[in-house]
Amino acid sequence: MASVEALWRGMSLEERLKWALSPDLPDDYRPFLLREQWVQTRCYFARRADLRSAEVEVLAQDGDYVIRLCIAKRPDLSAEQVAIFCTDRDPNVRYAIARNPLLTEQQRAVLLQDEDELVRTAAAKGPRPSKERCRPGQAPLLR
């Protein structure tokens, strides 16, 4: 019987995307989605509402800002993760965290003074709770 890693490596991008969105995602595939080479696949995985805290932790440190942006919108971040996102090098990530209801008033005040105009605008708009979207045949995703 082939190993799970061999099965994963043999999958096409289309198959990997399907698993990233699947409501029946096998536990054995989750570690591979965390390290997935294709950003689009990792992004879909990062938007899953059912991410585990250890997965959120790994994805919050992803080198690609798109993945960090997906995570910055989550309602289940730790106070430490929120603080880190407030100082993220990418303004798109700071924009996303500026709308997160977990942001403290002190953090909002700092983001109201951000060097990026769009981040300042987002901070001024205030909290925007994340919403779930669930298409037929897919796991619920955060928007």
Side-chain angles (χ1 to χ4, degrees):
M1 182 177 191
S3 74
V4 175
E5 183 174 7
L7 288 172
W8 184 261
R9 286 180 179 226
M11 286 184 199
S12 67
L13 172 58
E14 184 176 288
E15 291 171 308
R16 291 174 183 203
L17 286 169
K18 177 184 154 267
W19 282 118
L21 294 168
S22 175
D24 303 317
L25 175 62
D27 282 346
D28 289 347
Y29 288 171
R30 295 178 85 96
F32 297 104
L33 283 162
L34 282 175
R35 300 185 313 266
E36 173 61 32
Q37 66 180 332
W38 304 106
V39 173
Q40 183 181 11
T41 307
R42 247 183 12 261
C43 184
Y44 282 145
F45 183 65
R47 291 181 53 210
R48 290 180 69 101
D50 68 350
L51 283 185
R52 298 167 181 161
S53 60
E55 294 166 340
V56 170
E57 183 68 33
V58 169
L59 293 168
Q61 299 173 40
D62 197 280
D64 194 297
Y65 84 90
V66 174
I67 306 305
R68 295 192 314 277
L69 183 153
C70 291
I71 298 299
K73 296 178 181 182
R74 296 187 64 84
D76 57 353
L77 297 174
S78 69
E80 180 182 81
Q81 289 166 330
V82 172
I84 290 169
F85 285 136
C86 286
T87 61
D88 195 276
R89 67 188 175 274
D90 192 280
N92 295 299
V93 176
R94 295 193 311 275
Y95 177 93
I97 201 66
R99 300 299 310 274
N100 193 312
L102 298 173
L103 200 66
T104 67
E105 287 307 313
Q106 182 180 10
Q107 291 165 329
R108 185 170 311 286
V110 170
L111 291 174
L112 283 167
Q113 304 300 316
D114 195 271
E115 64 185 275
D116 188 275
E117 179 182 352
L118 294 176
V119 173
R120 293 191 306 266
T121 301
K125 286 182 181 178
R128 179 180 180 221
S130 59
K131 297 178 183 176
E132 283 188 20
R133 176 194 66 165
C134 189
R135 292 191 172 151
Q138 292 183 356
L141 302 180
L142 294 175
R143 300 180 346 147

